[in-house]
Amino acid sequence: MPKVRVNRHAYEVHAAVGATLADVLRDELSLTGTKVACGEGHCGACTVLVDGIPTLSCITLVHALDGANVTTIEGLRDHPMVPAFVRADALQCGFCTPGQIVSAVALVDQTPKPSTEQIRHAMAGNICRCGAYPKIEEAIRTWRD
Ligand code: FES
Ligand code: FES
């Protein structure tokens, strides 16, 4: 059985071989903040951090993650990026928002003051069907305000 740390808690995964990280987070650990939209690696809704790297949990097999550290949106609840999204009104339906925030946190961890070009590059894999992109960019530009 693979062992992973999720939001600093150690878990032994019981899911069948072939289960995705998204399945385990949502169904086994009840961490439903991670959303699944396309389920095929195209939209970014399911993004979590695996050892600090933004990762599409819908196409990541959990059995490949033995020993990894996973951070979900629940593990970022105290991060200043969350109120930054609220201040900037950076969401409409909110379905893409957990993945957007996870990707944004990974960006500012590496580049605390990203340029617009760096923001667009880092966030390119996170689709927002509501088109909240200008406000998402504003949230990331102002996350420390
Ligand atoms: S749900 Fe994983 S990339 Fe769309
Ligand atoms: S806020 Fe609705 S998909 Fe982004």
Side-chain angles (χ1 to χ4, degrees), residues 2-3 6-7 13 28 32 54 58 62 66 81 88 106 114 116 122 141:
K3 293 194 172 95
V6 179
N7 301 333
V13 175
E28 197 167 314
T32 54
C58 75
V62 73
D66 193 30
M81 190 61 77
T116 299
R141 271 198 309 272

Side-chain angles (χ1 to χ4, degrees), residues 76-141:
L76 298 174
R77 68 177 74 241
D78 295 324
H79 195 285
M81 190 61 77
V82 176
F85 266 63
V86 175
R87 276 198 310 275
D89 196 18
L91 58 139
Q92 289 183 40
C93 77
F95 202 80
C96 72
T97 309
Q100 302 278 2
I101 290 176
V102 169
S103 291
V105 166
L107 169 62
V108 301
D109 276 355
Q110 296 296 316
T111 310
K113 223 177 151 188
S115 65
T116 299
E117 198 168 295
Q118 287 171 317
I119 293 171
R120 289 181 183 172
H121 180 74
M123 302 300 292
N126 289 85
I127 308 299
C128 176
R129 292 179 70 92
C130 298
Y133 299 111
K135 294 190 171 194
I136 292 169
E137 287 178 21
E138 181 187 332
I140 298 171
R141 271 198 309 272

Side-chain angles (χ1 to χ4, degrees), residues 9-32:
H9 300 287
Y11 290 104
E12 188 166 299
V13 175
H14 296 285
V17 172
T20 67
L21 176 57
D23 289 338
V24 169
L25 291 172
R26 291 180 55 82
D27 301 338
E28 197 167 314
L29 302 180
S30 298
L31 293 171
T32 54

Side-chain angles (χ1 to χ4, degrees), residues 30-98:
S30 298
L31 293 171
T32 54
T34 299
K35 304 303 181 201
V36 176
C38 71
E40 297 179 343
H42 299 307
C43 74
C46 64
T47 306
V48 300
L49 301 179
V50 176
D51 296 329
I53 309 291
T55 301
L56 299 173
S57 62
C58 75
I59 53 168
T60 300
L61 298 181
V62 73
H63 283 255
L65 296 181
D66 193 30
N69 286 291
V70 177
T71 304
T72 70
I73 188 67
E74 289 88 349
L76 298 174
R77 68 177 74 241
D78 295 324
H79 195 285
M81 190 61 77
V82 176
F85 266 63
V86 175
R87 276 198 310 275
D89 196 18
L91 58 139
Q92 289 183 40
C93 77
F95 202 80
C96 72
T97 309

